[in-house]
Amino acid sequence: MSGLDAAIDVVGGKWKVLILWALSDGAKRFSELKRCLAGVSEKMLIQHLRELERDEVVHREVHHAVPPKVEYSLTGLGLSLIEALRPLGAWGCDHKTRLEEIRNRSASVSASVAGGDAAMSPSPAVPRSRTAPS
């Protein structure tokens, strides 16, 4: 396994990097993390937190109180991973607008082809209409 494979194995998945980012400014309870990550399901958040804890990137601390309180924080390994991800985040900020434009352009071309645009993808069984332009 190369170094890049190992790193991607730790942060792979839609939510892991976002979980790490959310924890980069301090410990958070589960409900705080869930609020920071709009759209994540509880099941997926639990799964990713367990994997990050297993990889010793995230620390889970249980405070014995009523009601019980659990906090998640970054370990030293997690803090070093955040530092490694900062240049990737900067690259994303620098190129976000351009990437959105490219993807929007690509999506509109795909939609016109999928929508049956006769000029772009005629059906061989149906002859094209040959009307003069107005």
Side-chain angles (χ1 to χ4, degrees):
M1 176 184 291
S2 76
L4 189 56
D5 288 337
I8 289 173
D9 190 45
V10 172
V11 297
K14 179 178 180 180
W15 300 104
K16 285 184 181 179
V17 171
L18 298 175
I19 292 167
L20 295 172
W21 247 197
L23 292 173
S24 68
D25 61 355
K28 291 195 175 25
R29 296 179 69 171
F30 183 85
S31 58
E32 292 174 293
L33 279 171
K34 188 150 174 27
R35 278 193 300 274
C36 290
L37 305 168
V40 69
S41 69
E42 281 194 28
K43 177 183 175 184
M44 190 56 61
L45 182 54
I46 290 168
Q47 177 183 330
H48 283 327
L49 283 168
R50 284 183 181 156
E51 290 170 5
L52 290 166
E53 186 181 5
R54 174 203 65 205
D55 292 335
E56 297 182 3
V57 174
V58 167
H59 173 72
R60 179 178 185 265
E61 180 148 356
V62 178
H63 299 276
H64 299 288
V66 178
K69 179 180 172 184
V70 178
E71 284 186 327
Y72 296 90
S73 60
L74 294 175
T75 63
L77 192 60
L79 290 169
S80 70
L81 182 54
I82 283 291
E83 288 308 310
L85 291 170
R86 285 191 196 286
L88 184 61
W91 183 90
C93 287
D94 290 346
H95 300 288
K96 181 180 179 182
T97 302
R98 175 148 171 75
L99 291 169
E100 289 170 348
E101 290 169 358
I102 292 167
R103 290 179 178 173
N104 288 338
R105 190 169 55 238
S106 177
S108 60
V109 168
S110 296
S112 67
V113 170
D117 185 346
M120 296 200 57
S121 58
S123 171
V126 180
R128 290 164 85 183
S129 167
R130 301 203 184 250
T131 57
S134 40

